[in-house]
Amino acid sequence: DYLGEPSKYAHCKHQNFDVNSHKEIPNGPMTYLVPHGGTKASGRLWWEYDGMQRHRSKPDELTGKYPDHLPIEQAVYKLLIPSLPIRRAIRESLNEAIGTSTINKPTVVALHPRIEHDMLLHDICNEFMQLNLTKIFDSIRIMPKFDLLFVAVSKALVDGKPPDKMSRYKDLMRIALENKIVLNQARNYGVFGSKDQKGIPMLESGTSTTRKIEFPVMERSNSNGLKVVTAKSLRVTELVASVVNFFTALEADAFVGVRGSTFSQDVFSVRYYQHQDRGDGVGENNFVVGPNGMRQLFGPAEPLPCK
Protein backbone atom coordinates (compact mmCIF):
# COMPACT_ATOMS: atom_id res chain seq x y z
CA ASP A 1 0.00 0.00 0.00
CA TYR A 2 1.84 3.10 -1.25
CA LEU A 3 -0.98 5.57 -0.63
CA GLY A 4 0.44 8.38 1.46
CA GLU A 5 3.94 6.94 1.18
CA PRO A 6 5.26 8.47 -2.05
CA SER A 7 8.89 7.82 -1.12
CA LYS A 8 8.17 4.11 -1.64
CA TYR A 9 7.19 4.62 -5.27
CA ALA A 10 10.83 4.45 -6.28
CA HIS A 11 10.94 0.75 -5.36
CA CYS A 12 8.16 -0.13 -7.79
CA LYS A 13 8.76 -2.01 -10.99
CA HIS A 14 7.28 -0.38 -14.05
CA GLN A 15 6.09 -2.79 -16.71
CA ASN A 16 6.39 -2.23 -20.43
CA PHE A 17 3.99 -4.08 -22.70
CA ASP A 18 5.27 -5.69 -25.87
CA VAL A 19 2.46 -5.26 -28.40
CA ASN A 20 3.93 -7.98 -30.62
CA SER A 21 4.32 -10.78 -28.07
CA HIS A 22 1.54 -9.51 -25.78
CA LYS A 23 3.82 -9.94 -22.79
CA GLU A 24 4.83 -7.54 -20.06
CA ILE A 25 8.55 -6.80 -19.91
CA PRO A 26 10.20 -5.62 -16.66
CA ASN A 27 11.89 -2.29 -17.18
CA GLY A 28 13.81 -1.68 -13.97
CA PRO A 29 13.07 0.70 -11.10
CA MET A 30 10.74 3.47 -12.13
CA THR A 31 7.65 5.05 -10.69
CA TYR A 32 3.94 4.64 -11.14
CA LEU A 33 3.80 8.42 -11.51
CA VAL A 34 5.02 7.93 -15.08
CA PRO A 35 1.76 7.75 -17.04
CA HIS A 36 2.76 6.76 -20.57
CA GLY A 37 3.92 3.58 -22.24
CA GLY A 38 3.81 1.30 -19.25
CA THR A 39 0.54 -0.59 -19.11
CA LYS A 40 -1.43 -3.05 -21.18
CA ALA A 41 -3.97 -0.37 -21.99
CA SER A 42 -1.50 2.25 -23.20
CA GLY A 43 -1.90 1.31 -26.88
CA ARG A 44 -5.67 1.20 -26.63
CA LEU A 45 -5.69 4.55 -24.83
CA TRP A 46 -3.72 6.16 -27.65
CA TRP A 47 -5.99 4.82 -30.39
CA GLU A 48 -9.09 5.88 -28.50
CA TYR A 49 -7.64 9.37 -28.21
CA ASP A 50 -6.73 9.32 -31.90
CA GLY A 51 -10.33 8.41 -32.69
CA MET A 52 -11.51 11.49 -30.81
CA GLN A 53 -9.50 13.63 -33.25
CA ARG A 54 -11.06 12.34 -36.46
CA HIS A 55 -13.60 15.14 -36.65
CA ARG A 56 -10.67 17.59 -36.65
CA SER A 57 -8.90 16.16 -39.70
CA LYS A 58 -9.75 19.07 -42.05
CA PRO A 59 -9.47 22.84 -41.49
CA ASP A 60 -12.14 25.35 -42.40
CA GLU A 61 -11.75 26.27 -46.07
CA LEU A 62 -12.13 30.00 -45.42
CA THR A 63 -10.27 30.54 -42.14
CA GLY A 64 -7.82 27.64 -42.19
CA LYS A 65 -8.72 26.99 -38.54
CA TYR A 66 -9.17 23.41 -37.38
CA PRO A 67 -12.36 22.47 -35.47
CA ASP A 68 -12.33 22.72 -31.68
CA HIS A 69 -11.66 19.66 -29.56
CA LEU A 70 -14.50 17.75 -27.94
CA PRO A 71 -16.02 19.41 -24.84
CA ILE A 72 -14.43 16.87 -22.49
CA GLU A 73 -10.99 17.64 -23.94
CA GLN A 74 -11.55 21.37 -23.64
CA ALA A 75 -12.53 20.91 -19.99
CA VAL A 76 -9.30 19.03 -19.28
CA TYR A 77 -7.19 21.67 -21.03
CA LYS A 78 -8.84 24.43 -19.00
CA LEU A 79 -8.23 22.56 -15.72
CA LEU A 80 -4.47 22.23 -16.25
CA ILE A 81 -3.11 24.58 -13.60
CA PRO A 82 0.22 23.99 -11.81
CA SER A 83 0.40 23.47 -8.06
CA LEU A 84 1.55 26.33 -5.84
CA PRO A 85 5.10 24.91 -5.32
CA ILE A 86 5.57 24.67 -9.10
CA ARG A 87 4.17 28.16 -9.73
CA ARG A 88 6.50 29.65 -7.12
CA ALA A 89 9.56 27.89 -8.54
CA ILE A 90 8.75 28.98 -12.10
CA ARG A 91 8.29 32.61 -11.03
CA GLU A 92 11.58 32.52 -9.11
CA SER A 93 13.47 31.15 -12.12
CA LEU A 94 11.98 33.77 -14.44
CA ASN A 95 12.90 36.58 -12.03
CA GLU A 96 16.46 35.27 -11.73
CA ALA A 97 16.83 35.07 -15.51
CA ILE A 98 15.59 38.61 -16.01
CA GLY A 99 17.88 39.82 -13.22
CA THR A 100 17.84 43.38 -11.98
CA SER A 101 16.01 44.68 -15.03
CA THR A 102 13.89 47.77 -14.48
CA ILE A 103 11.22 46.43 -16.84
CA ASN A 104 7.89 46.34 -14.99
CA LYS A 105 6.40 43.47 -16.97
CA PRO A 106 8.99 41.73 -19.13
CA THR A 107 7.78 40.11 -22.34
CA VAL A 108 8.59 36.38 -22.36
CA VAL A 109 8.62 34.21 -25.47
CA ALA A 110 8.68 30.43 -24.98
CA LEU A 111 10.26 28.18 -27.61
CA HIS A 112 10.00 24.42 -27.99
CA PRO A 113 12.42 23.65 -30.84
CA ARG A 114 12.47 19.82 -30.49
CA ILE A 115 16.03 19.50 -31.72
CA GLU A 116 17.06 16.64 -29.41
CA HIS A 117 19.02 13.76 -30.93
CA ASP A 118 16.09 11.35 -30.79
CA MET A 119 13.96 13.65 -32.95
CA LEU A 120 16.78 14.24 -35.42
CA LEU A 121 16.65 10.48 -36.00
CA HIS A 122 12.84 10.28 -36.11
CA ASP A 123 12.36 9.99 -39.85
CA ILE A 124 8.56 10.22 -39.68
CA CYS A 125 7.80 13.26 -37.51
CA ASN A 126 10.93 15.30 -38.15
CA GLU A 127 9.94 16.04 -41.75
CA PHE A 128 7.41 18.53 -40.35
CA MET A 129 10.02 20.28 -38.19
CA GLN A 130 12.91 22.67 -38.62
CA LEU A 131 15.83 20.73 -37.14
CA ASN A 132 18.42 23.51 -37.39
CA LEU A 133 18.47 25.81 -34.35
CA THR A 134 20.18 28.61 -36.30
CA LYS A 135 17.25 28.75 -38.72
CA ILE A 136 14.75 28.58 -35.84
CA PHE A 137 16.41 31.58 -34.17
CA ASP A 138 16.37 33.39 -37.52
CA SER A 139 12.60 32.79 -37.72
CA ILE A 140 11.88 34.37 -34.34
CA ARG A 141 13.84 37.52 -35.21
CA ILE A 142 10.73 38.86 -36.88
CA MET A 143 8.70 38.71 -33.67
CA PRO A 144 7.93 41.94 -31.77
CA LYS A 145 10.58 42.90 -29.22
CA PHE A 146 10.77 40.57 -26.22
CA ASP A 147 12.89 40.57 -23.05
CA LEU A 148 13.47 36.87 -22.34
CA LEU A 149 13.50 33.67 -24.39
CA PHE A 150 12.52 30.54 -22.50
CA VAL A 151 13.68 27.37 -24.29
CA ALA A 152 12.10 24.02 -23.45
CA VAL A 153 14.80 21.57 -24.44
CA SER A 154 16.63 18.59 -22.99
CA LYS A 155 20.24 19.59 -22.35
CA ALA A 156 21.33 15.96 -22.16
CA LEU A 157 19.90 15.19 -25.61
CA VAL A 158 21.47 18.24 -27.25
CA ASP A 159 24.78 18.63 -25.43
CA GLY A 160 25.44 14.92 -24.97
CA LYS A 161 27.07 12.46 -27.32
CA PRO A 162 24.78 11.59 -30.24
CA PRO A 163 23.65 7.96 -30.57
CA ASP A 164 26.08 5.75 -32.45
CA LYS A 165 23.63 5.18 -35.29
CA MET A 166 23.63 8.91 -36.06
CA SER A 167 27.22 8.56 -37.31
CA ARG A 168 25.76 6.96 -40.45
CA TYR A 169 24.07 10.26 -41.33
CA LYS A 170 26.62 13.02 -41.92
CA ASP A 171 23.99 15.74 -42.39
CA LEU A 172 22.36 14.92 -39.06
CA MET A 173 25.73 14.83 -37.28
CA ARG A 174 26.52 18.27 -38.69
CA ILE A 175 23.15 19.64 -37.55
CA ALA A 176 23.54 18.10 -34.08
CA LEU A 177 26.97 19.69 -33.65
CA GLU A 178 25.79 23.07 -34.93
CA ASN A 179 22.75 23.02 -32.62
CA LYS A 180 24.99 22.33 -29.64
CA ILE A 181 27.30 25.22 -30.53
CA VAL A 182 24.44 27.67 -31.19
CA LEU A 183 22.68 26.73 -27.94
CA ASN A 184 25.87 27.27 -25.94
CA GLN A 185 26.48 30.63 -27.63
CA ALA A 186 22.96 31.70 -26.63
CA ARG A 187 23.65 30.61 -23.05
CA ASN A 188 26.85 32.61 -22.91
CA TYR A 189 25.92 35.75 -24.89
CA GLY A 190 22.13 35.69 -25.14
CA VAL A 191 19.99 34.99 -28.19
CA PHE A 192 21.26 36.93 -31.24
CA GLY A 193 24.28 37.97 -29.11
CA SER A 194 28.03 37.62 -29.55
CA LYS A 195 31.26 38.32 -27.71
CA ASP A 196 30.94 41.96 -28.67
CA GLN A 197 27.21 42.44 -28.25
CA LYS A 198 24.86 41.23 -25.53
CA GLY A 199 21.80 39.40 -26.81
CA ILE A 200 18.39 38.63 -25.34
CA PRO A 201 18.65 36.57 -22.12
CA MET A 202 17.79 32.89 -22.51
CA LEU A 203 16.40 30.60 -19.84
CA GLU A 204 16.42 26.81 -19.70
CA SER A 205 14.74 26.08 -16.42
CA GLY A 206 13.29 22.58 -16.42
CA THR A 207 15.81 20.62 -14.38
CA SER A 208 17.25 23.53 -12.40
CA THR A 209 13.79 24.76 -11.40
CA THR A 210 12.73 21.24 -10.43
CA ARG A 211 15.54 21.09 -7.86
CA LYS A 212 13.93 24.01 -6.01
CA ILE A 213 10.52 22.37 -5.69
CA GLU A 214 9.41 20.69 -2.48
CA PHE A 215 6.05 18.95 -2.44
CA PRO A 216 4.14 18.67 0.86
CA VAL A 217 2.27 15.36 1.02
CA MET A 218 0.04 13.67 3.57
CA GLU A 219 1.62 10.66 5.24
CA ARG A 220 -0.25 8.42 7.63
CA SER A 221 2.86 7.25 9.48
CA ASN A 222 3.86 10.84 10.31
CA SER A 223 2.32 12.22 13.50
CA ASN A 224 2.24 15.69 11.94
CA GLY A 225 0.48 14.34 8.87
CA LEU A 226 2.82 16.13 6.43
CA LYS A 227 6.05 15.21 4.75
CA VAL A 228 8.11 17.11 2.19
CA VAL A 229 9.38 15.17 -0.83
CA THR A 230 11.34 16.19 -3.91
CA ALA A 231 11.34 15.02 -7.50
CA LYS A 232 14.80 13.56 -6.94
CA SER A 233 13.67 11.50 -3.94
CA LEU A 234 10.87 10.06 -6.08
CA ARG A 235 13.20 9.53 -9.06
CA VAL A 236 10.99 11.63 -11.31
CA THR A 237 13.25 14.63 -11.93
CA GLU A 238 12.92 14.47 -15.72
CA LEU A 239 9.16 14.05 -15.52
CA VAL A 240 8.72 17.04 -13.21
CA ALA A 241 11.17 19.06 -15.34
CA SER A 242 8.93 18.43 -18.34
CA VAL A 243 5.93 19.61 -16.29
CA VAL A 244 7.86 22.77 -15.33
CA ASN A 245 8.72 23.42 -18.97
CA PHE A 246 5.09 22.88 -19.96
CA PHE A 247 3.63 25.35 -17.47
CA THR A 248 6.37 27.92 -18.11
CA ALA A 249 5.43 27.80 -21.81
CA LEU A 250 1.75 28.24 -20.90
CA GLU A 251 2.41 31.47 -19.04
CA ALA A 252 4.63 33.05 -21.71
CA ASP A 253 3.38 36.03 -23.71
CA ALA A 254 3.97 34.06 -26.91
CA PHE A 255 4.78 30.44 -27.69
CA VAL A 256 6.69 29.03 -30.65
CA GLY A 257 6.35 25.28 -31.13
CA VAL A 258 6.53 22.62 -33.82
CA ARG A 259 4.21 20.26 -35.66
CA GLY A 260 4.67 16.58 -34.89
CA SER A 261 5.28 17.10 -31.16
CA THR A 262 2.65 16.16 -28.59
CA PHE A 263 4.30 18.61 -26.15
CA SER A 264 3.90 21.54 -28.54
CA GLN A 265 0.43 20.42 -29.55
CA ASP A 266 -0.81 20.38 -25.94
CA VAL A 267 0.79 23.74 -25.14
CA PHE A 268 -0.92 25.25 -28.20
CA SER A 269 -4.31 23.90 -27.17
CA VAL A 270 -4.11 24.68 -23.45
CA ARG A 271 -3.03 28.25 -24.19
CA TYR A 272 -5.88 28.63 -26.68
CA TYR A 273 -8.67 27.30 -24.45
CA GLN A 274 -7.49 28.84 -21.18
CA HIS A 275 -7.14 32.31 -22.65
CA GLN A 276 -10.28 32.04 -24.74
CA ASP A 277 -12.46 32.92 -21.74
CA ARG A 278 -10.09 35.63 -20.55
CA GLY A 279 -10.22 37.49 -23.83
CA ASP A 280 -6.65 38.77 -23.45
CA GLY A 281 -5.43 37.59 -26.85
CA VAL A 282 -2.56 35.53 -25.42
CA GLY A 283 -4.15 32.32 -26.67
CA GLU A 284 -3.71 33.57 -30.23
CA ASN A 285 0.00 34.29 -29.72
CA ASN A 286 0.95 30.80 -30.83
CA PHE A 287 3.37 30.21 -33.68
CA VAL A 288 4.49 27.11 -35.58
CA VAL A 289 8.07 26.95 -36.85
CA GLY A 290 8.92 24.46 -39.57
CA PRO A 291 11.00 23.81 -42.67
CA ASN A 292 9.38 26.75 -44.47
CA GLY A 293 9.70 29.30 -41.69
CA MET A 294 7.26 30.45 -39.02
CA ARG A 295 3.53 31.14 -39.15
CA GLN A 296 0.91 32.12 -36.62
CA LEU A 297 -1.55 29.47 -35.44
CA PHE A 298 -5.16 30.60 -35.09
CA GLY A 299 -7.38 28.35 -33.01
CA PRO A 300 -6.43 25.10 -31.26
CA ALA A 301 -3.54 22.88 -32.27
CA GLU A 302 -3.65 21.12 -35.59
CA PRO A 303 -4.00 17.31 -35.48
CA LEU A 304 -0.74 15.42 -35.25
CA PRO A 305 0.59 14.90 -38.78
CA CYS A 306 2.52 11.77 -37.80
CA LYS A 307 1.48 8.76 -35.74
Side-chain angles (χ1 to χ4, degrees):
D1 180 9
Y2 297 114
L3 186 62
E5 301 278 356
S7 60
K8 293 183 179 180
Y9 289 159
H11 301 293
C12 295
K13 291 286 185 178
H14 191 61
Q15 301 291 323
N16 276 334
F17 185 68
D18 188 331
V19 294
N20 296 315
S21 65
H22 300 284
K23 295 179 180 179
E24 288 186 341
I25 305 172
N27 194 34
M30 289 188 71
T31 170
Y32 286 126
L33 294 179
V34 179
H36 299 296
T39 65
K40 291 182 179 180
S42 60
R44 187 183 71 185
L45 180 64
W46 169 255
W47 290 115
E48 287 180 353
Y49 170 77
D50 187 59
M52 295 169 67
Q53 307 305 308
R54 288 174 186 166
H55 76 285
R56 306 186 61 246
S57 60
K58 294 181 180 180
D60 183 275
E61 292 183 0
L62 295 177
T63 65
K65 175 183 172 182
Y66 281 84
D68 284 355
H69 291 78
L70 296 177
I72 183 63
E73 296 177 274
Q74 295 182 40
V76 171
Y77 285 138
K78 291 180 180 181
L79 287 171
L80 287 176
I81 299 172
S83 65
L84 183 57
I86 291 179
R87 290 204 305 270
R88 286 173 174 168
I90 290 174
R91 177 49 52 191
E92 182 181 337
S93 293
L94 288 172
N95 289 338
E96 289 176 356
I98 296 168
T100 58
S101 172
T102 58
I103 302 171
N104 291 327
K105 191 181 182 304
T107 300
V108 178
V109 171
L111 169 66
H112 178 230
R114 200 59 175 97
I115 55 169
E116 290 85 353
H117 297 150
D118 61 323
M119 185 52 69
L120 295 184
L121 288 165
H122 199 303
D123 57 2
I124 299 177
C125 290
N126 67 14
E127 67 176 285
F128 301 98
M129 303 180 186
Q130 174 54 259
L131 303 178
N132 187 300
L133 187 58
T134 301
K135 294 181 179 180
I136 293 174
F137 281 170
D138 285 342
S139 293
I140 66 175
R141 283 181 183 271
I142 65 173
M143 299 185 72
K145 182 181 178 182
F146 55 94
D147 305 298
L148 177 70
L149 180 69
F150 166 73
V151 181
V153 69
S154 169
K155 294 182 181 181
L157 293 180
V158 176
D159 291 344
K161 182 178 180 293
D164 291 339
K165 63 180 179 180
M166 190 181 285
S167 61
R168 301 197 298 265
Y169 307 97
K170 292 183 179 179
D171 288 345
L172 292 182
M173 286 293 290
R174 177 184 56 77
I175 292 174
L177 177 59
E178 181 179 337
N179 288 344
K180 177 180 178 179
I181 293 172
V182 170
L183 193 61
N184 276 291
Q185 286 178 337
R187 289 169 182 152
N188 294 328
Y189 309 119
V191 183
F192 315 137
S194 65
K195 291 182 179 179
D196 303 319
Q197 183 176 358
K198 184 177 180 181
I200 298 171
M202 186 184 78
L203 170 65
E204 301 166 89
S205 73
T207 303
S208 59
T209 300
T210 297
R211 296 193 188 103
K212 305 173 185 176
I213 302 173
E214 294 183 336
F215 299 101
V217 296
M218 297 297 295
E219 189 172 49
R220 287 197 295 254
S221 62
N222 188 333
S223 59
N224 295 326
L226 281 177
K227 179 181 178 180
V228 173
V229 297
T230 64
K232 182 178 181 180
S233 68
L234 296 178
R235 301 186 187 181
V236 290
T237 298
E238 290 302 315
L239 176 63
V240 177
S242 181
V243 171
V244 167
N245 283 342
F246 186 85
F247 284 113
T248 306
L250 290 188
E251 294 304 314
D253 296 282
F255 173 66
V256 181
V258 296
R259 290 191 73 198
S261 162
T262 53
F263 182 98
S264 282
Q265 174 166 312
D266 285 339
V267 173
F268 285 140
S269 293
V270 175
R271 285 173 56 87
Y272 173 71
Y273 290 115
Q274 287 192 357
H275 289 275
Q276 193 176 47
D277 296 337
R278 303 176 197 175
D280 56 10
V282 173
E284 298 290 351
N285 284 340
N286 292 328
F287 301 85
V288 181
V289 63
N292 298 318
M294 187 175 70
R295 58 184 172 83
Q296 189 166 1
L297 175 66
F298 296 98
E302 302 164 350
L304 277 173
C306 54
K307 304 265 173 63

